[in-house]
Amino acid sequence: MMNAFLFILVVLVWGTTWIMTRLQLGVVDVEASIAYRFVIASAVLLAILKARGLPMRFRQVDHVFIAAQGLCLFCLNSLAGYNATRLLPSGLVAVVLSTVVLLNIAGLSLFFREPVKPRLLLGALLAIAGLGFVFRGDVTGFDTTWAHLKGGALALLAALLVAAGNMLAVRNRRHGLPVAQTTGLSMLYGAAASISSVWLSGRTFGFDASLPYVGSLLYLAIIGTAVIFTCYLVLLERMGADRAAYVSVLYPVVALGISTLFEGYVWSSSAIGGLVLLLGGNALALLPQAWPVRLRALS
């Protein structure tokens, strides 16, 4: 029950972050906004950990892996993803990022010698294909122009970085590092790297004091990052990286649902068919293994 609650919570919250991300665009450089987001998120999470008196001392070698996790999850993947969205339609970027499901399965097999579960692999392929049909217009609009090729490479890089961060989180947990403290410190390292990226790129730390910008920044930092990323990494531990990654296939659909309600998005027959395929893939992978047998017994 707890796994289901965490899974649904992560999907719903990450499905709303695109609205807040839109409000971040305009006055402030994207790189600066990313830095602000992770600075606030790490400060909030570390303050909570300190208030609870949780131990924060780790070996130097563990700090290396915690910093690597932070660099992948709380800096580089965001930079790659944001810049990919500048060059490609957001739907196509979502489809590419959903390949994290396959990359996590491959990573667990390659680095941790976990056997590939055919049911999860088939479910991942169906879900990604379904998402491709949901965003068919964006997918078929891809061409071989330099902008699209660069955007596709950045989106794939973002997916690889998320998967790498997930594998580092698995490694850290298997070495006995607690999720909450590891997440807080990795966010701190990611925030430091994000600040460095702004300086190295020659961009400025501008700020927009308007309510939409500040409100969206706080939502993204506190709810979308400090709270929900911690929930996701707990889910990673409880469900396994191969199953927890299915959130990446579902939350773009939540975003489309919100767009349907408030922006008049109209679902095409292709999108509806893709949604059915996507949900079928998720059901195959995430529902208890005995459910196909039960269905056959009823037939």
Side-chain angles (χ1 to χ4, degrees), residues 51-198:
R52 293 181 60 189
L54 297 178
M56 299 294 294
R57 291 184 176 274
F58 300 100
R59 299 177 303 163
Q60 287 186 350
V61 65
D62 289 329
H63 272 283
V64 172
F65 285 98
I66 292 171
Q69 177 182 324
L71 195 64
C72 289
L73 291 181
F74 306 117
C75 178
L76 296 180
N77 101 79
S78 294
L79 292 172
Y82 271 95
N83 283 292
T85 306
R86 287 173 169 172
L87 300 169
L88 293 176
S90 58
L92 180 54
V93 175
V95 173
V96 176
L97 289 177
S98 71
T99 60
V100 168
V101 182
L102 293 174
L103 293 172
N104 275 8
I105 293 173
L108 289 174
S109 175
L110 179 63
F111 298 111
F112 300 101
R113 299 294 187 266
E114 290 193 11
V116 175
K117 303 176 183 70
R119 193 164 65 107
L120 293 186
L121 182 59
L122 177 58
L125 292 172
L126 290 174
I128 294 170
L131 193 63
F133 279 108
V134 169
F135 293 107
R136 182 181 177 183
D138 288 350
V139 173
T140 56
F142 182 80
D143 56 40
T144 56
T145 60
W146 170 244
H148 275 199
L149 291 174
K150 183 180 178 181
L154 286 170
L156 182 57
L157 176 61
L160 288 167
L161 287 165
V162 172
N166 288 340
M167 294 305 103
L168 286 162
V170 172
R171 179 268 171 201
N172 290 337
R173 190 67 193 100
R174 292 190 179 187
H175 280 72
L177 305 185
V179 173
Q181 294 96 307
T182 303
T183 304
L185 284 175
S186 65
M187 281 186 190
L188 182 62
Y189 283 119
S194 297
I195 292 171
S196 299
S197 73
V198 177

Side-chain angles (χ1 to χ4, degrees), residues 16-56:
T16 65
T17 54
W18 69 274
I19 303 172
M20 301 302 172
T21 301
R22 278 186 182 181
L23 298 175
Q24 296 280 285
L25 303 177
V27 177
V28 183
D29 284 334
V30 167
E31 289 77 5
S33 291
I34 291 172
Y36 296 148
R37 175 180 177 178
F38 292 133
V39 166
I40 295 170
S42 61
V44 168
L45 191 50
L46 290 172
I48 293 172
L49 296 174
K50 183 174 178 60
R52 293 181 60 189
L54 297 178
M56 299 294 294

